[in-house]
């Protein structure tokens, strides 16, 4: 009887398998754009941060949030300063293009590899729902700030 083989307290000799990146669902770049359009750059940043976390690029998440907050703050500041006759659509398009270009720059190659490896993607409907929640949260926050300032 071999003591090493019959030891019930010995750890098993099985190989541990890590979850591969192709098994984790990501958001498409279009979902980041949809989230930005419907729910401010903060929603797009949330989806992009999700992708960056799963792709092992967590060091870039803070930069993404910084860009999103700056885009939103710039747009809100311009909305209060510019006259009402100025159309708002160019500002929404600018935010959209900024976040989509950032998403392409940071994750496009990884997302293409993910798709080529048969990886799964999260639904754009989910992205739209998250965007609506972000939009509601921003509206509530703006309403509260305006009530405090009594504008």
């Amino acid at each position: 009887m071999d003591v090493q083989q019959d030891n019930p307290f010995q750890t098993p000799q099985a190989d541990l398998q890590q979850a591969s990146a192709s098994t984790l669902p990501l958001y498409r770049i279009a979902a980041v754009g949809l989230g930005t359009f419907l729910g401010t750059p903060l929603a797009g940043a949330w989806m992009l941060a999700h992708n960056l976390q799963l792709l092992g690029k967590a060091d870039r998440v803070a930069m993404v949030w910084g860009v999103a907050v700056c885009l939103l703050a710039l747009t809100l500041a311009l909305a209060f300063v510019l006259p009402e006759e100025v159309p708002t659509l160019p500002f929404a398009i600018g935010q959209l293009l900024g976040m989509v270009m950032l998403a392409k720059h940071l994750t496009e190659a990884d997302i293409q590899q993910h798709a080529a490896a048969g990886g799964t993607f999260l639904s754009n409907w989910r992205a739209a729902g998250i965007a609506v929640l972000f939009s509601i949260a921003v509206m509530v926050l703006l309403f509260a700030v305006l009530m405090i300032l009594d504008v």
Side-chain angles (χ1 to χ4, degrees):
M1 178 167 148
D2 188 12
V3 176
Q4 291 288 25
Q5 274 186 322
D6 295 334
N7 184 357
F9 302 107
Q10 183 179 6
T11 57
Q13 299 299 319
D15 292 331
L16 296 178
Q17 297 178 355
Q18 297 291 332
S20 67
S22 64
T23 61
L24 302 172
L26 298 176
Y27 287 102
R28 293 179 180 86
I29 292 176
V32 174
L34 178 66
T36 301
F37 186 73
L38 294 178
T40 74
L42 299 179
W46 189 85
M47 292 169 215
L48 185 52
H50 169 83
N51 283 356
L52 289 171
Q53 291 280 348
L54 293 181
L55 293 171
K57 297 180 180 183
D59 57 323
R60 298 180 180 173
V61 170
M63 184 262 306
V64 167
W65 281 108
V67 168
V69 168
C70 287
L71 280 172
L72 182 62
L74 177 66
T75 303
L76 290 175
L78 288 174
F80 283 111
V81 173
L82 294 175
E84 290 184 25
E85 297 83 35
V86 176
T88 58
L89 185 61
F91 300 116
I93 292 172
Q95 289 178 344
L96 174 67
L97 290 176
M99 288 303 292
V100 167
M101 288 171 57
L102 182 63
K104 282 185 177 183
H105 175 71
L106 293 176
T107 62
E108 184 174 34
D110 295 318
I111 288 176
Q112 288 175 352
Q113 288 176 353
H114 180 76
T120 58
F121 289 97
L122 294 168
S123 169
N124 285 348
W125 285 106
R126 178 180 171 145
I130 290 169
V132 168
L133 291 176
F134 268 93
S135 183
I136 291 170
V138 168
M139 284 190 287
V140 167
L141 182 64
L142 283 175
F143 181 75
V145 168
L146 291 175
M147 291 302 290
I148 290 171
L149 296 177
D150 197 29
V151 173

